[in-house]
Amino acid sequence: MDFVHLFQLTIAMVFAMVVLHYLAHRAGLPPPVALIVGGASLAFVPGLPTFPINPELVLVLFLPPLLMDSAWVIALGQLKRHTIGIAALAIGAVLFTTLVVAVVAHLLLPSLPWAACAALGAIVAPPDAVSVRVVLERVKLPRRLKILLEGESLLNDATGLVLFRFAIAAGLTGSFSATAAAGQFVLLAVGGAAIGTVIGFAWVKLARRLDDEYLLIAATSLLSWIAYLLAERVHVSGVIATVTTGLIVSWHAHTVISASARMRGSSFWDVTIFLIEAGVFMLIGLSLRGVLERAGGFGSIVATMGMPSLAILAAITLARFAWMFASDGVIAACARPGLTHHTPIGARAATVLGWAGVRGVVTLALALSVPDAFPGRDFILVAAFVVILGTVLVQATTLGRVIAWAKLVEAPADKAPLTMNQAEAAMAQLQFATIERHAYDGDGQLIHPRLLERYQRKATISVDYAARPDHYSPMLHAHFDLVLAAVATGRDELIRLHRAGEIDDDTLHELERDLDLEELSALSAKS
């Protein structure tokens, strides 16, 4: 396949991603389901060449920006508060699931070496950041469960990758040391955090000095790959480095990035992440053809690997449930005598967390990267693919129903956060105080009467609205509906003037930008 054909195939894939995402939205299906099924269907189109998938390229291309984006939007306060719970999932649950899968695989296939069984366990153990992210966008969870899942998906890939590398090394060399593995894990994590910290604060200094917002957006968009590649280059965790960089950037972005750069950058980044997420699931579907060809065809797979692969899928599901209920039971036992201030999440919440373990791109990339000479490679590849399909097609599509069944209730916070209306009222009062201090000259003469009146009115209305939102909500919607109608009228006239040749392109673009900002402001206020 030459480069022109590869480019044509890539464009066709992007077009298919848009179409499949639209169809999934119309049908009410999770987008990953439509994308995987669509990708698998495209893989078997007669005459279509096999799409080459390099597992290392897949990890480097897709994982860093998705980790960065997740770290960018995660609630840092909640992340710090639930550090122990997240670590229990990101490290403990992955280790436990790896052990369970290794034991089950060895019982099913006694001829499979323990190293190969452990490699399979490490491949399928960590839930995928991409899959979890897409699932969470479609459901509503209490804050505690949401942060546990988000934090787990950010950090568990590091655990899985370390376990996988040691299992592969043990399978190829015949030696393994648990002490060395634990020490290496600590070294990789600490080294990755150090690299991420350096890059994150280097970006903060750059952002404060860089005046060109387009250069700043371009530099920020490359940050995830820089952190990941540099960390992997010095043989520490690229995952931890990327997450650390993302957390630092997220904390400082509110103060070092201008409003214009933030709006432009957010739009660019949202589209980029959409394409990357969709591309991940399309690649999973497209890889099905290669998996079947390597394993000897569909009939051979069903006859020799079908039942063991389904058993592995059952094993990871049951292991995750066992870990959730056992760890929650330990918390409950420790909470009774006052040994811990943490409260158990309860059986229904544990069921939701257990069912949310969806696998995806990391599992696929690790399975494809198993060396050809590694024992049991074909079974590892097939089992990994069955796990991906099973968790995406079953768990991702039914998670919303499980959450509805659970009827989860948001736990009361120690200190109730301000509502959006209350926060807006607090901002409006301080803004009015600032205007009031500077509205008069040195002789006490009022020099900004309209500005003072405008901010005083805004502060008064905001405070009143925060106290009675239900009373004012209908009037607010009617107000901004009228603003949007006025914007639409102004836009029609602006286009008419341009089409008639009465204004030039520069005037069109400047006034159009003003109308766009006014429209966005009205839509935001209305929502």
Side-chain angles (χ1 to χ4, degrees), residues 344-494:
I345 59 177
R348 291 177 179 265
T351 300
V352 171
L353 288 182
W355 198 244
V358 183
R359 274 64 173 180
V361 63
V362 174
T363 295
L364 174 67
L366 291 182
L368 290 173
S369 67
V370 174
D372 291 335
F374 195 77
R377 182 182 188 276
D378 289 344
F379 174 67
I380 291 174
L381 197 57
V382 171
F385 206 90
V386 169
V387 165
I388 294 171
L389 289 180
T391 55
V392 172
L393 298 181
V394 178
Q395 294 180 6
T397 57
T398 58
L399 182 61
R401 298 175 188 172
V402 174
I403 293 173
W405 162 82
K407 296 180 180 178
L408 302 175
V409 179
E410 185 73 65
D414 297 333
K415 180 182 178 182
L418 295 178
T419 65
M420 187 179 297
N421 296 329
Q422 290 171 331
E424 188 175 18
M427 290 166 52
Q429 287 178 299
L430 286 178
Q431 286 177 320
F432 169 64
T434 299
I435 296 296
E436 190 176 32
R437 284 197 304 270
H438 297 87
Y440 300 87
D441 61 14
D443 298 328
Q445 182 71 28
L446 181 62
I447 56 176
H448 298 295
R450 292 185 180 277
L451 206 56
L452 183 65
E453 180 185 359
R454 171 187 165 191
Y455 276 87
Q456 184 177 29
R457 177 175 172 79
K458 180 181 178 182
T460 303
I461 292 175
S462 296
V463 172
D464 199 15
Y465 181 83
R468 299 188 295 166
D470 293 338
H471 173 73
Y472 285 105
S473 184
M475 290 183 282
L476 183 74
H477 281 260
H479 170 84
F480 286 107
D481 282 339
L482 186 56
V483 171
L484 291 171
V487 169
T489 302
R491 197 182 302 278
D492 290 341
E493 176 62 12
L494 180 64

Side-chain angles (χ1 to χ4, degrees), residues 10 103 106 130 359 372 406 413 444 474:
T10 303
V103 171
H106 196 68
V130 186
R359 274 64 173 180
D372 291 335

Side-chain angles (χ1 to χ4, degrees), residues 329-350:
V330 170
I331 293 174
C334 293
R336 291 190 189 98
L339 298 177
T340 178
H341 65 278
H342 295 285
T343 57
I345 59 177
R348 291 177 179 265

